[in-house]
Amino acid sequence: MIPKSHPRYKSLMMREKLVEALDKGILAKAGLIAHGRGETFDYLIGEKTTDIALESIKAAAAMLVLAKNPIISVNGNTIALAIDEVVQLAKELNGKIEVNLFYRTKEREEAIKREFYKKFGEDIKFKKIEIHGIDDANYQIPNLDSLRGRISKEFFNADVVLVPLEDGDRTEALVKMGKKVIAIDLNPLSRTAQKATITIVDELTRTLPLLIKYVKEFKKTDKERLIKIIKEYDNKKNLKKMLLYINERLKKLGDDENFAI
Ligand code: ATP
């Protein structure tokens, strides 16, 4: 048991959740390493949602609300850390969730299906949410190897895809398919961050509650205003601002006489 008073309680709890997901067969071993890469960048960012990330979150919320057929794509890490928030967000939209696995095995597919049915069986039964990408992954993303490129018809037809923790190759392929891709990635230098239509440089479990909040708000907002938010958003500029923010933050810490390493 990790005591709540531990200074790194939240971070350690996230690790616990990932290890648990690994034991359940939901997460691939490499998912632990991917999380570690994210943790590093979170240190550099200061482990909080910056105003720069908030700008991306608002643009993403506007894009999701305006989408004709949005879908949320989840991998093992996302399920391990934020299955509740993913389902909550899906319910605010059209209920569609796609399971997309970098390391796709029958066992992992089954473990993930079990987790969704165990926690949200009623929602699935009453069609409040739909889980795609396991039994119906009969379509293929062009120019990707067969396993990583497997998708459902629903995903194939989606106009806006939220892909938390995606990899660069797939992101690029999805953009080439004409999709608007919203990524959540702590690393502003990753290929995913560079290729996505909107990149939210923030931690997944901090981002999702904010995304849900703005989606709820924007559903009641004038369409023209949402179009304006998206028009005024520039992903390249946002990523540059993030890099400068990290740069300045580290410089300030380096200049701080009282800073103790
Ligand atoms: P790319 O293929 O886009 O260049 P990569 O190879 O660096 O990416 P992957 O290993 O495919 O990255 O995926 C891990 C990515 O997910 C990392 O960039 C990491 O920053 C990010 N990440 C991991 N955990 C989280 C999290 N909890 N919240 C946000 N981002 C995260």
Side-chain angles (χ1 to χ4, degrees):
M1 261 299 268
I2 301 158
K4 275 207 163 145
S5 56
H6 193 289
R8 304 212 56 73
Y9 177 76
K10 202 172 166 249
S11 160
L12 292 175
M13 282 306 289
M14 269 200 262
R15 287 184 178 185
E16 289 268 300
K17 281 188 179 175
L18 289 164
V19 171
E20 206 181 294
L22 187 78
D23 291 341
K24 281 188 194 164
I26 290 170
L27 192 74
K29 283 181 192 154
L32 298 178
I33 302 169
H35 183 76
R37 177 132 64 201
E39 283 183 334
T40 312
F41 280 94
D42 212 11
Y43 255 82
L44 301 181
I45 286 161
E47 293 173 288
K48 65 176 176 62
T49 303
T50 60
D51 288 344
I52 304 160
L54 200 58
E55 231 182 88
S56 313
I57 290 172
K58 287 183 191 170
M63 197 172 264
L64 285 168
V65 169
L66 289 179
K68 284 193 175 67
N69 194 15
I71 195 161
I72 307 171
S73 161
V74 293
N75 65 0
N77 289 58
T78 307
I79 293 165
L81 295 175
I83 192 169
D84 295 343
E85 291 79 1
V86 164
V87 167
Q88 214 183 320
L89 180 59
K91 281 184 182 170
E92 290 298 328
L93 302 165
N94 54 1
K96 288 181 189 170
I97 297 170
E98 171 96 1
V99 177
N100 274 309
L101 303 174
F102 194 95
Y103 300 97
R104 192 184 271 273
T105 62
K106 196 79 218 138
E107 292 75 27
R108 185 154 307 115
E109 287 181 337
E110 287 306 318
I112 288 170
K113 220 163 110 178
R114 262 199 310 279
E115 187 75 356
F116 270 111
Y117 274 88
K118 194 177 90 194
K119 293 196 80 172
F120 303 102
E122 287 286 291
D123 286 335
I124 297 169
K125 189 173 157 199
F126 293 107
K127 303 230 180 285
K128 288 191 177 146
I129 57 167
E130 297 170 19
I131 310 296
H132 296 284
I134 295 181
D135 299 318
D136 61 351
N138 306 319
Y139 282 60
Q140 182 70 26
I141 302 173
N143 305 318
L144 263 196
D145 62 77
S146 61
L147 275 186
R148 277 195 309 135
R150 256 207 236 158
I151 47 172
S152 69
K153 187 178 174 189
E154 297 295 331
F155 193 87
F156 191 85
N157 289 331
D159 55 345
V160 176
V161 294
L162 171 63
V163 290
L165 323 184
E166 186 53 278
D167 88 296
D169 259 19
R170 264 182 53 112
T171 305
E172 196 171 3
L174 293 174
V175 171
K176 276 197 186 138
M177 281 175 85
K179 299 197 184 302
K180 289 185 178 135
V181 178
I182 301 167
I184 303 172
D185 191 336
L186 277 158
N187 177 5
L189 297 167
S190 76
R191 290 186 53 238
T192 303
Q194 305 285 329
K195 298 287 176 189
T197 317
I198 295 177
T199 310
I200 302 167
V201 183
D202 195 18
E203 203 283 314
L204 173 78
T205 64
R206 284 198 304 266
T207 296
L208 287 178
L210 289 166
L211 207 46
I212 293 165
K213 174 183 159 203
Y214 284 105
V215 162
K216 277 185 177 167
E217 186 181 317
F218 288 173
K219 276 159 74 178
K220 294 180 243 152
T221 303
D222 182 45
K223 250 190 174 186
E224 293 306 314
R225 217 195 116 213
L226 301 184
I227 292 169
K228 191 163 173 271
I229 290 174
I230 296 169
K231 262 197 187 146
E232 286 172 356
Y233 179 82
D234 182 326
N235 205 46
K236 281 269 169 295
K237 268 194 198 153
N238 190 279
L239 287 172
K240 279 188 184 172
K241 274 199 265 180
M242 206 62 217
L243 286 176
L244 284 177
Y245 174 85
I246 293 173
N247 199 358
E248 279 161 21
R249 181 168 181 270
L250 294 184
K251 192 169 176 320
K252 232 187 253 169
L253 285 172
D255 286 343
D256 183 352
E257 277 178 25
N258 300 317
F259 181 66
I261 295 175

Short mmCIF file of all heavy atoms in Angstrom, two decimals, residues 34-35 37-38 81 165-168 184-187 190-192 202-204, ligand 1:
data_model
loop_
_atom_site.label_atom_id
_atom_site.label_comp_id
_atom_site.label_asym_id
_atom_site.label_seq_id
_atom_site.Cartn_x
_atom_site.Cartn_y
_atom_site.Cartn_z
N ALA A 34 6.95 2.75 -22.29
CA ALA A 34 6.32 3.94 -22.90
C ALA A 34 5.88 4.91 -21.80
O ALA A 34 6.02 6.13 -21.93
CB ALA A 34 5.13 3.52 -23.75
N HIS A 35 5.37 4.36 -20.70
CA HIS A 35 4.94 5.22 -19.59
C HIS A 35 6.15 5.95 -19.00
O HIS A 35 6.06 7.15 -18.68
CB HIS A 35 4.25 4.39 -18.51
CG HIS A 35 3.72 5.22 -17.39
ND1 HIS A 35 2.57 5.98 -17.50
CD2 HIS A 35 4.21 5.46 -16.14
CE1 HIS A 35 2.37 6.62 -16.38
NE2 HIS A 35 3.34 6.33 -15.53
N ARG A 37 8.81 6.90 -20.49
CA ARG A 37 9.18 8.02 -21.37
C ARG A 37 8.27 9.22 -21.08
O ARG A 37 8.72 10.35 -21.00
CB ARG A 37 9.09 7.60 -22.83
CG ARG A 37 9.39 8.71 -23.80
CD ARG A 37 10.34 8.33 -24.90
NE ARG A 37 9.79 7.30 -25.77
CZ ARG A 37 10.55 6.52 -26.54
NH1 ARG A 37 11.84 6.65 -26.56
NH2 ARG A 37 9.99 5.60 -27.31
N GLY A 38 7.01 8.95 -20.88
CA GLY A 38 6.08 10.03 -20.55
C GLY A 38 6.41 10.68 -19.21
O GLY A 38 6.43 11.91 -19.11
N LEU A 81 -4.97 3.22 -17.23
CA LEU A 81 -4.94 4.47 -16.45
C LEU A 81 -6.26 5.21 -16.42
O LEU A 81 -6.53 5.95 -15.48
CB LEU A 81 -3.85 5.41 -17.01
CG LEU A 81 -2.41 4.95 -16.91
CD1 LEU A 81 -1.49 5.93 -17.61
CD2 LEU A 81 -1.98 4.78 -15.44
N LEU A 165 -1.90 8.56 -26.56
CA LEU A 165 -0.73 7.65 -26.53
C LEU A 165 -0.59 6.80 -27.80
O LEU A 165 -0.38 5.62 -27.76
CB LEU A 165 -0.79 6.74 -25.30
CG LEU A 165 -1.30 7.35 -24.00
CD1 LEU A 165 -1.20 6.35 -22.87
CD2 LEU A 165 -0.56 8.62 -23.65
N GLU A 166 -0.68 7.45 -28.91
CA GLU A 166 -0.54 6.77 -30.21
C GLU A 166 0.93 6.72 -30.61
O GLU A 166 1.75 7.43 -30.02
CB GLU A 166 -1.36 7.57 -31.24
CG GLU A 166 -1.48 6.98 -32.61
CD GLU A 166 -1.99 5.55 -32.61
OE1 GLU A 166 -1.18 4.64 -32.38
OE2 GLU A 166 -3.18 5.33 -32.86
N ASP A 167 1.27 5.91 -31.61
CA ASP A 167 2.65 5.97 -32.09
C ASP A 167 2.69 6.74 -33.41
O ASP A 167 1.68 6.93 -34.08
CB ASP A 167 3.27 4.56 -32.18
CG ASP A 167 3.00 3.92 -33.51
OD1 ASP A 167 1.83 3.67 -33.80
OD2 ASP A 167 3.97 3.67 -34.26
N GLY A 168 3.90 7.22 -33.72
CA GLY A 168 4.07 8.17 -34.83
C GLY A 168 3.61 7.64 -36.17
O GLY A 168 2.94 8.35 -36.93
N ILE A 184 -2.77 12.82 -27.36
CA ILE A 184 -2.35 13.26 -26.03
C ILE A 184 -0.98 12.65 -25.83
O ILE A 184 -0.83 11.43 -25.85
CB ILE A 184 -3.32 12.78 -24.93
CG1 ILE A 184 -4.74 13.26 -25.22
CG2 ILE A 184 -2.85 13.24 -23.54
CD1 ILE A 184 -5.81 12.67 -24.28
N ASP A 185 0.04 13.49 -25.71
CA ASP A 185 1.40 12.96 -25.62
C ASP A 185 2.26 13.95 -24.85
O ASP A 185 2.36 15.12 -25.21
CB ASP A 185 1.95 12.75 -27.03
CG ASP A 185 3.25 11.96 -27.03
OD1 ASP A 185 3.96 11.94 -26.00
OD2 ASP A 185 3.56 11.35 -28.08
N LEU A 186 2.89 13.46 -23.78
CA LEU A 186 3.73 14.34 -22.95
C LEU A 186 5.01 14.78 -23.66
O LEU A 186 5.66 15.73 -23.24
CB LEU A 186 4.10 13.61 -21.65
CG LEU A 186 3.04 13.69 -20.56
CD1 LEU A 186 3.20 12.55 -19.56
CD2 LEU A 186 3.06 15.03 -19.85
N ASN A 187 5.35 14.07 -24.72
CA ASN A 187 6.59 14.39 -25.42
C ASN A 187 6.32 15.27 -26.64
O ASN A 187 5.85 14.77 -27.67
CB ASN A 187 7.28 13.08 -25.84
CG ASN A 187 8.55 13.32 -26.62
OD1 ASN A 187 8.98 14.46 -26.79
ND2 ASN A 187 9.15 12.25 -27.10
N SER A 190 7.90 13.98 -30.00
CA SER A 190 7.61 12.68 -30.61
C SER A 190 7.03 12.87 -32.01
O SER A 190 6.49 13.93 -32.34
CB SER A 190 6.62 11.89 -29.75
OG SER A 190 5.32 12.40 -29.92
N ARG A 191 7.12 11.83 -32.81
CA ARG A 191 6.57 11.92 -34.15
C ARG A 191 5.05 12.07 -34.08
O ARG A 191 4.45 12.77 -34.89
CB ARG A 191 6.98 10.71 -34.98
CG ARG A 191 8.48 10.77 -35.30
CD ARG A 191 8.94 9.70 -36.24
NE ARG A 191 8.15 9.64 -37.44
CZ ARG A 191 7.48 8.57 -37.85
NH1 ARG A 191 7.49 7.47 -37.14
NH2 ARG A 191 6.80 8.60 -38.97
N THR A 192 4.45 11.43 -33.09
CA THR A 192 3.00 11.58 -32.90
C THR A 192 2.65 13.06 -32.70
O THR A 192 1.76 13.59 -33.36
CB THR A 192 2.54 10.78 -31.66
OG1 THR A 192 2.92 9.43 -31.83
CG2 THR A 192 1.05 10.89 -31.44
N ASP A 202 0.29 16.95 -22.46
CA ASP A 202 -0.09 16.87 -21.04
C ASP A 202 -0.27 15.40 -20.67
O ASP A 202 -0.35 14.54 -21.55
CB ASP A 202 -1.40 17.65 -20.81
CG ASP A 202 -1.65 17.92 -19.33
OD1 ASP A 202 -0.70 17.83 -18.52
OD2 ASP A 202 -2.81 18.23 -18.98
N GLU A 203 -0.39 15.16 -19.40
CA GLU A 203 -0.55 13.78 -18.93
C GLU A 203 -2.00 13.33 -19.15
O GLU A 203 -2.93 14.09 -18.88
CB GLU A 203 -0.14 13.71 -17.46
CG GLU A 203 0.28 12.34 -16.97
CD GLU A 203 -0.89 11.42 -16.72
OE1 GLU A 203 -1.86 11.87 -16.08
OE2 GLU A 203 -0.87 10.27 -17.18
N LEU A 204 -2.15 12.10 -19.60
CA LEU A 204 -3.47 11.56 -19.95
C LEU A 204 -4.53 11.76 -18.85
O LEU A 204 -5.63 12.24 -19.13
CB LEU A 204 -3.31 10.06 -20.25
CG LEU A 204 -4.57 9.26 -20.47
CD1 LEU A 204 -5.11 9.51 -21.87
CD2 LEU A 204 -4.32 7.77 -20.27
P1 ATP B 1 6.60 8.39 -31.69
O1 ATP B 1 6.43 7.09 -32.44
O2 ATP B 1 5.40 9.24 -31.73
O3 ATP B 1 7.86 9.16 -32.01
P2 ATP B 1 7.61 7.25 -29.23
O4 ATP B 1 8.20 6.08 -29.94
O5 ATP B 1 8.49 8.19 -28.52
O6 ATP B 1 6.64 8.04 -30.14
P3 ATP B 1 5.84 5.44 -27.94
O7 ATP B 1 6.76 4.53 -27.26
O8 ATP B 1 5.14 5.01 -29.18
O9 ATP B 1 6.57 6.80 -28.16
O10 ATP B 1 4.68 5.92 -26.93
C1 ATP B 1 4.96 6.52 -25.76
C2 ATP B 1 4.56 7.96 -25.82
O11 ATP B 1 3.45 8.18 -24.97
C3 ATP B 1 5.70 8.81 -25.35
O12 ATP B 1 5.93 9.86 -26.24
C4 ATP B 1 5.25 9.34 -23.99
O13 ATP B 1 5.65 10.66 -23.82
C5 ATP B 1 3.73 9.25 -24.08
N1 ATP B 1 3.08 8.91 -22.79
C6 ATP B 1 3.26 7.80 -22.04
N2 ATP B 1 2.47 7.82 -20.95
C7 ATP B 1 1.76 8.97 -21.03
C8 ATP B 1 0.73 9.54 -20.23
N3 ATP B 1 0.29 8.94 -19.12
N4 ATP B 1 0.20 10.73 -20.62
C9 ATP B 1 0.61 11.33 -21.75
N5 ATP B 1 1.58 10.84 -22.56
C10 ATP B 1 2.15 9.67 -22.21
#
